[in-house]
Structure formats: C-alpha cells, structure tokens
Amino acid sequence: MRKSPDLPYILLFLGPALILVGIFVYVAVLWNIYISLTDWRGLLPSYRFVGLLQYKQLFHDPVFWTSLKNNILLLLLFVPGSILMGLLLAIMLDRKIKFEGGFRTIYTLPFALSFVVTATLWAWMYDPSSGVLNTLFEKLHLEFLESRWITDPNIAMYCIIIALIWQFSGYTMIIYLAGIRSIPIDHYEAAVIDGASTWQVYRYVVIPQLVKPTLSAFVVLMVFSLKAFDFIWVLTRGGPGTSTFILAIQMYKETFAKTNFAYGAAIATILLLMALAVVLPYLYWSYRGEKE
Amino acid sequence: MKVKITPLRILMYIILIFLAFGYLLPIWSAITTSTKTGEQVALTTPIQLILPPYFGAYKIAFENLKRPIINSLIFTTLATIFSTVLGSLAGFTLAKLMRGSVSKKLLILITFGVFLPYQSILIPLVRLISSLGLYNTIPGLVLTHTAYGIPITTLLFTNYYYEIPDELVEAAKVDGASAAGIYTKIILPLSMPAFVVTAIYQFTSIWNDYLFGVVLTRGEEAMPATVMLANLKGSFVANWNVQMAGALIVALPTLIIMIALGKYLIRGYTSGAIKG
C-alpha cells in the first residue's frame, strides 16, 4: 500500500472494528476449534489434545443424527416454506390491493417480535389442554383437528416449522415486494405492448429479476435455520425427548447443562462448517460482480 | 387507476383476509388472555375479549420484569450507540479512504460475522468475558453486542457511503481537509438516514437477543428482559395470563418501532439483501 496522509485515520477509524471482529469472531472461532480437539470436560482445566476423538464419538451419537435430521427438515421445509409464502404475499399485495399498507403491517408484525416472545405466544397456541388451537377447533366442531401439538414427538418439529414460517414470511415478503417494485415500469409496458399475458409477464419479466433477492433470502434463512436456537429452546427445550433437537440445542445442552465443553465445541465446529458451505459461495458470488 | 373486479381478485382478497386472521391470531389471543383473571382464562375461549379488562396479570408480570427491562434498556442503548458509531467510522474508511482490493477484502472479512452461527463462538465468548471480569455485568453485554453488531453496521454504512460521490471527498481533500474533517463536515451530515436505519435495526436485534443474555448472565443484576420472560414461562407460578402479559410487555419496544418506524427497520433488513 502506498503511504498516504490518511493512514493514521485509517488505523484510528477502522482499528477498533477490526480488533473487536478479529477477537470476537476469528480468534473465538479458532479457539473453539482448538477446544473441540481436546478432552476438556467439566470444570477441570484438562486440555489434553485428543485429535478428532470428539468428532468420532459424535458420529456414533444417535442424538447427533436426530439433531442433524431436524436441521435438514428445517432446511427443506422452513426455508422454502418462508420463501414461497413471502413470494405469494408479495405478488398478491403488488396487484393494487386496497388497504395494502394494513395487510403489510399485519404480515410483518411477527417479524418484529423476539423469539422468546413468539415462543411464549406459540406455547399458548399449541397448549394441548386449554390452548388457543384446540379450544378453537372444539368451538368450531372440528374436533378431528385437535392434537397434542408440541407434546407429540411425531409432529412437534412440524409445529415449530409452522410457527417459524409465521414469523419469517413477513421478512421474505418485504424482500420480494422491494424486488418487484425495483423493476423499471417500462419493462412491464414493453411486455404488455408485445401482447404478453399476466402469467407471461411474471414468467419472463418479474421472476427472472427476483433471482438475487431469492438467493439472499435463501442464505439468510438457511444460516438462521442452523442456529434457530432461541425459539426451539424456549418453546420445547428440545423435547419431548430429543424429538426437536437441532445441532444448536444439542451443543447448548452438552456445553451448559453437562459441561462437556470439548464435545459442545465439536458440534459448534460442525455448525460452522455447514454455515461456511452456504455462505462462502454466496459471498464469492455477491462480491464477484463488484471487482474492479 | 380503476381496477376491474374479477373472480381472481375476489379470491385474492379472501386469501389475504384469511391469512391476516392467521397472522394476528397468536397476538390477538395474547392480548385477550393477558387482560383476564386466572378464572376467566379457564372459563372462556382464548380469542374472547372480556370487558372491562383486568390488569392484575400485567402488574405481576411487570414486577418480575422491571429490573430486567431496565437492564435491557441500558445495555441495548449503549451497544446500539457504540456499534453504530464504529460501523459508520469503519464504513467511511472502507468506502472513501481506502481503494481497491484491500478494502474489498477487509469488508468481506468483517461481513462474514453477519452469517456466523453464534454457537460456534459461544464457549470462547463465555471464557473471554469471564476472564475480563465482565461475566454477569452490563458492560459485558455491551461489549459483546457491540462486537457482534459491527459486521452488519459496517456493511450497511459501507453500502450507504458507496452511493456518496467520490468527487465530494476529493474536492474537500484538494481544499486541504483532513480525513477527520471530511468525516465530520461532509459525511456525518449526509449520514443521518443511515444512522436512523442502522440504529433502529441494532436496537431491535439487541433488545430481542436471548442467546448472549442467557449464557453471559446469572441472577438479576444484569439479566436481560428476554431471559427473564423465558424464566417466567418455565416457572410454575406464572399462569397463562401473566405469561401473555409478560410477552406483550417485552414485545412493546420492538412493536412500537415496527409500527411507527417500520419503513426504516425494513430498509435495514432489505438493503443488505437487495444489494447483496
């Protein structure tokens, strides 16, 4: 780098940010990986290096496979579910709907709430004895729809996914509305003059322009689905049994309930690798276009 | 513009209204349940509104949440200010003082923190904060939230400063202004919209955090409101009306921001995604 009179200011302005990110992100990540290669357990500072032993144990741990399966379930249902719901809402709201602002506010309200708040609300929705859904179905004489919801290990994970789509579809809707509205109006007009039907306008003008927002939403939701800890932890603590464990929950339990630090760190490293697999191609793709 | 009424439009309104009920149901039943006595909760359906409302549940919830809410207000405000200011300074440096690939690489390096699964730094974080003597303290939470806020605030400000023409900065340099002078005299006055968006975004996400709060605090001295609310949910004393009242109290600041300043919050969430 050439010497410039700005150099002291560069150090002064960028320094604090770089130091904090350096320590709290990069040093911490490496430190965690190092812990995962030791046998650190309990409160004893035994830091014996044991190589990949924790990972070997992890791959023989049935709870790990349950957690991984639930992470994949979130990836396959929650991520596309939120994206499709958001796209549907955005397309409908874009078609000159009366009270558009009102609808938009209603759909985005859940997104402003914290996971602890939404988990509390949905615990009441799903409460099997006197909760909102079962009482409502009873009153409407739809008793066949009553269920044990989050206390039924077979469907608890799906209950969580529905609540998460409720919370996140407002976010994807906003992204898509902004995306649709940033398409220049003459693109539409040109298509209509050429005699395109509504369906064709969406197929050939709108949808192709939404690739970038879709990719961004995918990355944000996928990374979120890896760490959807707060909501599940507060709603079910991972139960019944281990039926709603995801890797983030297993990591938390191993680390803070069982003080099995090295094992928790190994799960955390797997989570990091999964996030990297999503984020690195995305970062490469999104900055590639800007290279000078 | 006149819009023709077609069966498809009517169907769209039916779907939109049906979904609006679905989206409001959890919030509506929280409002109705929180304004009932325990007996009324047992005897009425959750969607039934009882008038006049009973505020006893709010009293109990607030007594439990008072200290944690004050804690949350303090550390959220401080961490919002610090992370926003540091993000602005870093963004200005990356977008206007530095050029080319070094600046791009540093931005990617910082931005990666936006996507970091926090579980993968959790154990070192607790060790770090403990060894600094900041476990279970407000400064510990301020430091943590400031550090993990910087990636997103830097991203938002850098993108914003890219839009400010370089000529403005060059002209000031020719006139002999230093980097500090350019920042305070030219950039800062132009940055107010970015400050509003970023600060609102940061306030909401720090207020809503649970994970850092639950691993970095114990007892009431520094406990955030979200952690106390989760404890309230887990305790056998709390009934559904108290839980719902607690949830609505904790949700209030972010709900107000969403309704009053929603467009700024939304701009924070979309500007990263649309620009990539």
Side-chain angles (χ1 to χ4, degrees), chain B residues 148-165:
Chain B
Y148 292 111
I150 286 173
I152 185 73
T153 58
T154 304
L155 179 67
L156 292 174
F157 275 107
T158 309
N159 279 336
Y160 185 80
Y161 292 146
Y162 279 147
E163 314 271 305
I164 294 178

Side-chain angles (χ1 to χ4, degrees), chain B:
Chain B
M1 202 195 293
K2 198 97 176 102
V3 179
K4 261 206 313 207
I5 296 168
T6 60
L8 184 66
R9 284 194 79 74
I10 294 169
L11 179 69
M12 263 174 19
Y13 276 106
I14 292 172
I15 296 175
L16 285 170
I17 291 169
F18 178 77
L19 287 174
F21 276 116
Y23 276 76
L24 283 178
L25 182 62
I27 299 171
W28 172 255
S29 48
I31 294 171
T32 56
T33 305
S34 67
T35 51
K36 288 174 188 170
T37 64
E39 200 172 77
Q40 286 167 338
V41 172
L43 294 175
T44 58
T45 62
I47 57 164
Q48 209 174 326
L49 185 67
I50 301 267
L51 291 173
Y54 162 79
F55 289 112
Y58 278 90
K59 220 179 136 219
I60 299 172
F62 188 69
E63 272 161 19
N64 282 290
L65 285 163
K66 201 164 77 186
R67 179 75 196 267
I69 284 175
I70 294 170
N71 292 340
S72 275
L73 279 175
I74 295 172
F75 76 74
T76 304
T77 307
L78 289 175
T80 299
I81 294 171
F82 292 148
S83 62
T84 305
V85 169
L86 288 176
S88 165
L89 288 169
F92 165 65
T93 311
L94 292 173
K96 289 287 174 266
L97 292 184
M98 297 175 79
R99 286 291 129 86
S101 66
V102 179
S103 147
K104 281 269 142 61
K105 278 175 191 144
L106 285 176
L107 181 63
I108 295 176
L109 217 59
I110 294 175
T111 308
F112 172 70
V114 174
F115 305 101
L116 178 77
Y118 290 138
Q119 244 81 16
S120 57
I121 45 81
L122 215 51
I123 301 172
L125 173 69
V126 177
R127 302 297 299 168
L128 181 67
I129 293 295
S130 304
S131 62
L132 291 171
L134 295 176
Y135 180 77
N136 202 28
T137 66
I138 301 268
L141 289 170
V142 173
L143 178 62
T144 305
H145 283 297
T146 302
Y148 292 111
I150 286 173
I152 185 73
T153 58
T154 304
L155 179 67
L156 292 174
F157 275 107
T158 309
N159 279 336
Y160 185 80
Y161 292 146
Y162 279 147
E163 314 271 305
I164 294 178
D166 284 342
E167 289 76 22
L168 270 179
V169 176
E170 296 304 329
K173 268 190 185 164
V174 171
D175 291 344
S178 70
I182 294 170
Y183 180 75
T184 48
K185 295 220 179 64
I186 299 174
I187 299 293
L188 215 50
L190 288 172
S191 304
M192 283 312 133
F195 268 96
V196 173
V197 167
T198 311
I200 286 174
Y201 178 92
Q202 278 302 92
F203 189 93
T204 311
S205 21
I206 298 171
W207 179 274
N208 283 348
D209 166 73
Y210 172 76
L211 183 62
F212 291 147
V214 79
V215 299
L216 293 178
T217 65
R218 176 179 26 194
E220 288 235 326
E221 300 99 271
M223 185 183 280
T226 49
V227 176
M228 188 63 219
L229 175 63
N231 291 350
L232 209 58
K233 185 186 165 291
S235 79
F236 57 92
V237 204
N239 291 313
W240 285 110
N241 54 350
V242 179
Q243 279 187 44
M244 292 302 121
L248 290 173
I249 292 172
V250 174
L252 202 60
T254 48
L255 275 182
I256 291 173
I257 287 177
M258 192 61 171
I259 291 168
L261 302 164
K263 63 175 178 176
Y264 296 107
L265 181 65
I266 284 161
R267 210 174 298 160
Y269 278 111
T270 49
S271 54
I274 298 295
K275 287 199 178 116

Side-chain angles (χ1 to χ4, degrees), chain A residues 32-39 48-52 54-55 262 265:
Chain A
N32 178 77
I33 293 172
Y34 175 73
I35 293 170
S36 77
L37 301 174
T38 70
D39 63 353
R48 204 160 54 92
F49 187 85
V50 292
L52 295 174
Q54 305 291 350
Y55 295 89

Side-chain angles (χ1 to χ4, degrees), chain A residues 132-165:
Chain A
V132 178
L133 287 179
N134 278 356
T135 323
L136 216 57
F137 289 143
E138 198 187 319
K139 288 283 167 208
L140 295 169
H141 301 289
L142 296 167
E143 279 90 352
F144 68 95
L145 284 175
E146 287 180 38
S147 161
R148 285 170 49 220
W149 307 117
I150 48 169
T151 57
D152 179 348
N154 294 316
I155 62 162
M157 203 57 212
Y158 299 97
C159 293
I160 286 170
I161 288 168
I162 289 171
L164 287 176
I165 292 176

Side-chain angles (χ1 to χ4, degrees), chain A:
Chain A
M1 200 161 54
R2 78 195 148 81
K3 238 196 148 100
S4 103
D6 290 338
L7 194 59
Y9 291 106
I10 291 177
L11 295 178
L12 186 70
F13 290 171
L14 199 55
L18 280 181
I19 290 168
L20 283 175
V21 170
I23 293 172
F24 280 81
V25 174
Y26 291 95
V27 172
V29 159
L30 293 176
W31 191 354
N32 178 77
I33 293 172
Y34 175 73
I35 293 170
S36 77
L37 301 174
T38 70
D39 63 353
W40 187 21
R41 218 198 143 105
L43 298 168
L44 299 167
S46 152
Y47 267 119
R48 204 160 54 92
F49 187 85
V50 292
L52 295 174
L53 184 72
Q54 305 291 350
Y55 295 89
K56 256 186 231 152
Q57 280 178 9
L58 200 55
F59 294 141
H60 288 105
D61 181 349
V63 180
F64 172 74
W65 296 106
T66 308
S67 304
L68 193 64
K69 192 199 83 194
N70 284 332
N71 269 118
I72 292 170
L73 208 59
L74 281 175
L75 228 53
L76 293 180
L77 294 179
F78 156 69
V79 176
S82 308
I83 291 204
L84 286 177
M85 195 69 190
L87 184 60
L88 178 79
L89 289 173
I91 286 178
M92 286 197 292
L93 284 186
D94 187 52
R95 300 202 60 82
K96 300 189 179 63
I97 290 289
K98 275 200 173 78
F99 315 114
E100 186 209 311
F103 281 121
R104 222 175 39 215
T105 309
I106 291 173
Y107 301 139
T108 44
L109 273 184
F111 187 57
L113 306 176
S114 69
F115 292 118
V116 181
V117 168
T118 52
T120 313
L121 300 189
W122 281 88
W124 181 219
M125 292 287 286
Y126 285 141
D127 181 66
S129 57
S130 57
V132 178
L133 287 179
N134 278 356
T135 323
L136 216 57
F137 289 143
E138 198 187 319
K139 288 283 167 208
L140 295 169
H141 301 289
L142 296 167
E143 279 90 352
F144 68 95
L145 284 175
E146 287 180 38
S147 161
R148 285 170 49 220
W149 307 117
I150 48 169
T151 57
D152 179 348
N154 294 316
I155 62 162
M157 203 57 212
Y158 299 97
C159 293
I160 286 170
I161 288 168
I162 289 171
L164 287 176
I165 292 176
W166 171 82
Q167 189 166 15
F168 272 83
S169 43
Y171 165 73
T172 46
M173 175 195 78
I174 290 165
I175 298 230
Y176 279 124
L177 259 179
I180 291 173
R181 289 185 175 164
S182 67
I183 301 170
I185 195 91
D186 42 319
H187 287 202
Y188 285 102
E189 280 166 359
V192 173
I193 288 166
D194 290 346
S197 67
T198 307
W199 163 248
Q200 283 170 325
V201 170
Y202 275 101
R203 173 70 186 76
Y204 296 105
V205 180
V206 179
I207 302 286
Q209 303 257 16
L210 296 181
V211 171
K212 207 170 175 183
T214 303
L215 259 167
S216 308
F218 250 111
V219 172
V220 170
L221 294 173
M222 274 159 96
V223 171
F224 168 74
S225 78
L226 292 177
K227 54 180 185 177
F229 167 81
D230 304 16
F231 184 82
I232 301 180
W233 178 251
V234 176
L235 189 62
T236 66
R237 304 263 143 166
T242 56
S243 61
T244 56
F245 264 52
I246 57 171
L247 290 174
I249 298 245
Q250 195 193 1
M251 184 272 167
Y252 185 84
K253 277 216 155 167
E254 288 292 342
T255 308
F256 296 100
K258 300 189 199 164
T259 63
N260 199 351
F261 295 117
Y263 203 59
I267 304 169
T269 306
I270 303 240
L271 265 173
L272 177 74
L273 291 177
M274 290 167 75
L276 283 176
V278 177
V279 173
L280 287 185
Y282 172 75
L283 282 180
Y284 176 77
W285 167 82
S286 75
Y287 286 97
R288 190 196 45 189
E290 293 175 26
K291 274 216 174 124
E292 282 145 279

